[in-house]
């Protein structure tokens, strides 16, 4: 089997080591991140994701800051030139139109799409403002894992509005599975790539949902191999508390570029 191209995997993995369930101490996360950037697979590694309170202790490391709507200006000032982007959570009281103010911050901004009746309106506002979306795809509770149907609607709507997106949480494996210990239904990161490719190609929401639901590893791998790297213009990246885990999954499926294998599996 051929491997996935570096272009398809470039910057796909945002280093969320300090966030659950990894919860790495910040000092270790900074050191490990530097090691990832010196590795053969450095091309797959995005910035270190941190909270605003972490910024004073991250040295010269490039960062993306996960923050609330009220803290964005403070975060931008504190991060300075190291800031790659912001990831902003909306409070329950925020209206969709409030996201437009984020376009004036002078940096890329991912807005977490709320899982309520504001979702479509928020995505529409992001499209108008030239901002990006963030979908929560899992977490430490079962209810934090959206169904295939819910996520399919989000992906197709984002693509329709021309809103690039990233994903966060729960993407511990390449292909959709039921976690044998927790019973959680977990999305696969390759499923998301394939589903996004289908949405970009104009597939129906039902087809996108089917791509998210697929559990046959060989079939999902084959579909991923057929993707145009341009799909990454829609699916930007995903946060992972372990950079090595998704690379190990790709190596197990014989999809990891040969030049990246050393130290990744």
């Amino acid at each position: 089997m051929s491997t996935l191209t570096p272009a398809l995997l470039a910057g796909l993995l945002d280093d969320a080591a300090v966030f659950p369930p990894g919860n790495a101490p910040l000092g270790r996360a900074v050191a490990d991140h530097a090691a990832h950037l010196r590795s053969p697979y450095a091309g797959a590694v995005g910035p270190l994701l941190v909270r605003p309170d972490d910024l004073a202790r991250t040295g010269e490391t490039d960062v993306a800051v996960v923050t609330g709507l009220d803290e964005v200006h403070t975060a931008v000032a504190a991060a300075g030139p190291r800031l790659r982007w912001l990831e902003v959570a909306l409070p329950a009281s925020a209206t969709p139109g409030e996201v437009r103010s984020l376009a004036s911050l002078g940096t890329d901004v991912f807005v977490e799409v709320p899982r309520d009746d504001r979702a479509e309106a928020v995505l529409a506002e992001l499209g108008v403002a030239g901002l990006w979306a963030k979908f929560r795809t899992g977490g430490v509770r079962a209810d934090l894992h959206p169904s295939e149907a819910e996520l399919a609607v989000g992906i197709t709507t984002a693509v329709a509005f021309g809103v690039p997106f990233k994903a966060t949480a729960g993407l511990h494996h390449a292909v959709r599975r039921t976690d044998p210990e927790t019973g959680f239904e977990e999305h696969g990161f390759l499923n998301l790539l394939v589903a996004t490719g289908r949405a970009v190609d104009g597939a129906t929401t039902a087809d996108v949902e089917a791509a998210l639901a697929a559990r046959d590893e060989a079939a999902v791998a084959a579909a991923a191999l057929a993707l145009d790297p341009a799909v990454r213009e829609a699916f930007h990246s995903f946060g992972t508390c372990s950079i090595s885990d998704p690379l190990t999954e790709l190596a197990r499926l014989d999809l990891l570029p040969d030049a990246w294998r050393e130290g990744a599996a």
Side-chain angles (χ1 to χ4, degrees):
M1 179 181 288
S2 300
T3 64
L4 297 177
T5 66
L8 184 65
L9 300 174
L12 183 64
L13 310 178
D14 300 330
D15 191 345
V18 302
F19 290 89
N23 298 313
L26 182 61
R28 190 178 79 200
V30 170
D32 288 349
H33 185 73
H36 292 313
L37 295 179
R38 295 191 300 268
S39 73
Y41 54 84
V45 181
L48 182 67
L49 303 182
V50 297
R51 303 175 180 90
D53 290 347
D54 297 329
L55 286 167
R57 296 178 291 141
T58 52
E60 300 302 313
T61 305
D62 282 355
V63 294
V65 182
V66 181
T67 185
L69 191 61
D70 294 336
E71 301 174 291
V72 292
H73 292 283
T74 301
V76 170
R82 297 180 297 134
L83 182 63
R84 295 274 294 277
W85 64 71
L86 290 177
E87 299 185 16
V88 180
L90 297 177
S93 60
T95 64
E98 290 182 58
V99 304
R100 293 197 185 192
S101 65
L102 299 170
S104 65
L105 290 172
T107 190
D108 292 326
V109 180
F110 290 89
V111 175
E112 184 166 337
V113 179
R115 295 179 60 201
D116 55 31
D117 58 8
R118 296 173 294 167
E120 183 174 355
V122 166
L123 284 166
E125 292 288 353
L126 296 180
V128 170
L131 301 170
W132 298 358
K134 174 180 174 180
F135 292 118
R136 186 159 295 277
T137 48
V140 295
R141 304 191 314 269
D143 63 290
L144 294 176
H145 296 251
S147 67
E148 300 102 315
E150 178 184 343
L151 187 54
V153 169
I155 290 172
T156 53
T157 304
V159 169
F161 288 144
V163 179
F165 62 88
K166 68 165 292 181
T168 186
L171 298 172
H172 303 296
H173 295 273
V175 178
R176 185 168 181 83
R177 69 195 286 271
T178 303
D179 186 283
E181 295 183 5
T182 65
F184 295 168
E185 297 296 326
E186 296 181 341
H187 291 286
F189 63 84
L190 285 185
N191 294 79
L192 260 72
L193 275 171
V194 173
T196 304
R198 290 191 180 180
V200 169
D201 288 341
T204 66
T205 302
D207 287 337
V208 174
E209 180 181 344
L212 292 172
R215 294 172 182 253
D216 184 317
E217 289 188 340
V220 174
L225 285 167
L227 288 171
D228 187 323
V231 70
R232 295 292 311 288
E233 295 174 12
F235 180 12
H236 182 275
S237 57
F238 69 93
T240 174
C241 63
S242 169
I243 294 294
S244 63
D245 283 357
L247 296 173
T248 299
E249 283 274 291
L250 292 174
R252 181 178 63 80
L253 295 171
D254 292 326
L255 295 176
L256 191 68
D258 292 339
W260 291 7
R261 287 180 178 269
E262 184 179 350

